Amino acid sequence: MLDKTIYKQIFKASFNAPIDVEFWDGEQVSYGEGEPIAKIILHELIPIKDIMAHASLTFGEAYMAGTIEIQGNLQQLVTAVYQSKDSFLNNAQFKKFLPKRSHSEKTSKTDVQSHYDIGNDFYEMWLDPTLTYSCAYFASDSDSLEDAQWNKVHHILNKLNARPGETLLDIGCGWGTLIFTAAKEYGLKATGVTLSQQQYDYVNQKIADEGLTDQVTVFLKDYREIQQTYDHVTSVGMFEHVGKENLGEYFAQVSDRLVPNGTALIHGITGQHEGAGVDEWINQYIFPGGYIPNIAENLTHIMHTALQVDDLEPLRRHYQKTLEIWTQNFHDVSEVVIARYGERFYRMWDLYLQACAASFEAGNIDVVQYLLTKGPSGAELPMTRAYIYHADVAHGVK
């Protein structure tokens, strides 16, 4: 059978580690030397033409449907695919480059709400108590996920070198941990902006519950609608959502929202190599409209604004570890997720979390913190990075 012959060629080229494969007719084949890291079971023949046209989307949908079953470590398996230059996820003939997509304020709101408004109760099941849905910062091997998320928030705020009474805008504020910390521990007047109705409602209720109406504000708006200026701007896990065609506008908005010599800390997933910043399956099922820019793209856009770079800090291993903990947490509540959302939904999110961990492990993507100044680099910052680490220690980041 021609399809099976081509499958065997694909599998032979696609992994840098030993695997077992069981085909739809019961034939079993081993690839590579040594103990297999996983077994792939193909319950049905998936047409080769679908793989050639849409490799990521086709395999992702097959996994969601149970047509493909993985026995063993899924993250290791996907890492092995990414690390093979001839794999179906790396080879140009299998890649599907998505067309440019408009990111108007209306489509951005729809895209964001499709992901973040699944329900606060869904995210509460597997995130840590801070409800922080971005890369944590593990200052110690013994840090829990919650410890590491507090570390991250403090590390970001410490980089700003903010003073009590100053103002902060957080673009894409999530469930508000950063703006509440900025207000309560750093004495800042903090404003958050989100397009998620559920996040907005959650933050507003917390502002009222904690009596912070004079110090914390949240807007249910597109970030492009904000007109005020602030001493500091933060944005964590946001620019991945704005789309390739809007990155320049995004960084221009960061610049425009800062007072002269203000500081910004932009934290986001960033490629350290050239290539497509879109995965077709993730774009279809997880993050509609998402795009991961590389460092050169971001720096080019920054250069076209009044912003200057003060520091870049890659946190790739931190996000890999964050995702591995999220995956374990997600597995721990598998029965609840399946009962509430169904088997297909559970398999979709399980694949998403483990494939992302694999992508960080393989080095396909990174997460980088960009410390930026509006005006001459470091004009209002201390001469060395020591201020960051001294403040980290003072806030328990050790």
Side-chain angles (χ1 to χ4, degrees):
M1 182 183 293
L2 180 60
D3 275 345
K4 186 191 279 189
T5 300
I6 297 174
Y7 261 109
K8 289 180 177 180
Q9 293 171 350
I10 291 173
F11 285 131
K12 184 176 181 180
S14 289
F15 300 91
N16 75 339
I19 64 161
D20 288 341
V21 177
E22 181 178 325
F23 290 95
W24 49 88
D25 59 2
E27 181 183 1
Q28 300 195 38
V29 181
S30 296
Y31 297 90
E33 302 293 330
E35 186 70 21
I37 61 170
K39 181 178 182 179
I40 301 172
I41 302 174
L42 298 167
H43 292 292
E44 299 175 15
L45 187 155
I46 302 168
I48 290 296
K49 63 180 179 62
D50 293 344
I51 299 172
M52 295 292 289
H54 307 277
S56 172
L57 182 63
T58 298
F59 277 108
E61 289 181 334
Y63 183 81
M64 289 163 57
T67 304
I68 293 177
E69 184 181 344
I70 307 298
Q71 294 179 353
N73 192 308
L74 177 57
Q75 180 183 329
Q76 284 187 12
L77 182 68
V78 178
T79 301
V81 176
Y82 282 134
Q83 290 178 335
S84 174
K85 64 181 178 63
D86 295 321
S87 79
F88 59 87
L89 291 182
N90 292 326
N91 194 310
Q93 67 176 320
F94 293 112
K95 282 189 173 182
K96 175 68 175 178
F97 296 92
L98 298 186
K100 178 178 176 180
R101 175 176 175 176
S102 170
H103 271 68
S104 66
E105 292 179 11
K106 182 178 180 180
T107 58
S108 292
K109 183 174 183 178
T110 301
D111 290 346
V112 167
Q113 292 187 349
S114 73
H115 184 85
Y116 292 97
D117 284 354
I118 295 171
N120 291 343
D121 54 347
F122 170 67
Y123 291 101
E124 286 170 345
M125 282 193 283
W126 53 275
L127 295 180
D128 71 287
T130 70
L131 271 183
T132 305
Y133 185 31
S134 55
C135 173
Y137 183 70
F138 293 88
S140 164
D141 288 341
S142 63
D143 285 342
S144 67
L145 177 59
E146 183 178 2
D147 291 336
Q149 292 292 11
W150 284 118
N151 290 346
K152 188 266 299 297
V153 170
H154 288 125
H155 194 52
I156 287 172
L157 292 170
N158 292 339
K159 285 185 174 184
L160 297 174
N161 198 39
R163 299 171 180 85
E166 293 181 333
T167 55
L168 167 74
L169 171 67
D170 188 27
I171 299 174
C173 66
W175 288 276
T177 299
L178 190 148
I179 56 176
F180 285 110
T181 304
K184 293 191 289 187
E185 297 187 32
Y186 293 78
L188 302 180
K189 294 197 72 172
T191 298
V193 58
T194 180
L195 284 173
S196 164
Q197 183 70 52
Q198 295 216 14
Q199 290 178 345
Y200 172 77
D201 292 342
Y202 179 94
V203 173
N204 250 337
Q205 186 62 55
K206 190 171 180 179
I207 290 171
D209 291 345
E210 298 195 11
L212 292 170
T213 53
D214 293 335
Q215 209 168 349
V216 180
T217 305
V218 63
F219 293 120
L220 183 65
K221 289 183 177 182
D222 189 280
Y223 69 99
R224 291 166 284 196
E225 297 180 85
I226 303 298
Q227 298 298 318
Q228 300 95 316
T229 56
Y230 300 82
D231 297 301
H232 309 284
V233 171
T234 54
S235 188
V236 181
M238 170 63 187
F239 64 59
E240 304 95 312
H241 295 290
V242 305
K244 181 179 178 65
E245 71 276 17
N246 288 329
L247 281 167
E249 183 180 14
Y250 168 81
F251 282 107
Q253 179 74 356
V254 171
S255 179
D256 290 346
R257 300 286 63 81
L258 280 173
V259 301
N261 294 324
T263 55
L265 193 288
I266 311 301
H267 167 125
I269 300 173
T270 306
Q272 289 215 34
H273 55 82
E274 293 189 66
V278 176
D279 178 273
E280 192 176 9
W281 178 78
I282 288 179
N283 197 275
Q284 177 72 30
Y285 288 98
I286 304 295
F287 282 117
Y291 175 81
I292 296 175
N294 62 48
I295 288 179
E297 286 179 273
N298 283 342
L299 292 180
T300 297
H301 291 304
I302 289 166
M303 288 168 59
H304 292 158
T305 69
L307 299 169
Q308 293 198 22
V309 176
D310 287 277
D311 191 57
L312 299 179
E313 183 177 10
L315 298 174
R316 179 185 63 82
R317 293 169 61 198
H318 294 264
Y319 216 161
Q320 177 189 339
K321 185 170 182 176
T322 302
L323 281 154
E324 289 169 350
I325 296 173
W326 284 345
T327 298
Q328 184 57 58
N329 291 348
F330 192 67
H331 289 174
D332 289 343
V333 296
S334 60
E335 292 183 2
V336 178
V337 175
I338 291 169
R340 189 174 300 176
Y341 301 100
E343 179 78 28
R344 178 182 170 88
F345 179 93
Y346 174 79
R347 291 174 70 86
M348 177 179 74
W349 271 83
D350 186 34
L351 177 59
Y352 161 62
L353 293 172
Q354 294 201 60
C356 286
S359 200
F360 282 106
E361 183 176 3
N364 290 344
I365 52 176
D366 206 328
V367 60
V368 175
Q369 290 188 349
Y370 301 75
L371 179 61
L372 310 171
T373 302
K374 185 173 182 177
S377 178
E380 298 294 321
L381 294 174
M383 293 287 280
T384 75
R385 291 174 173 171
Y387 79 96
I388 301 171
Y389 301 112
H390 290 159
D392 278 354
V393 171
H395 285 92
V397 183
K398 300 177 181 178

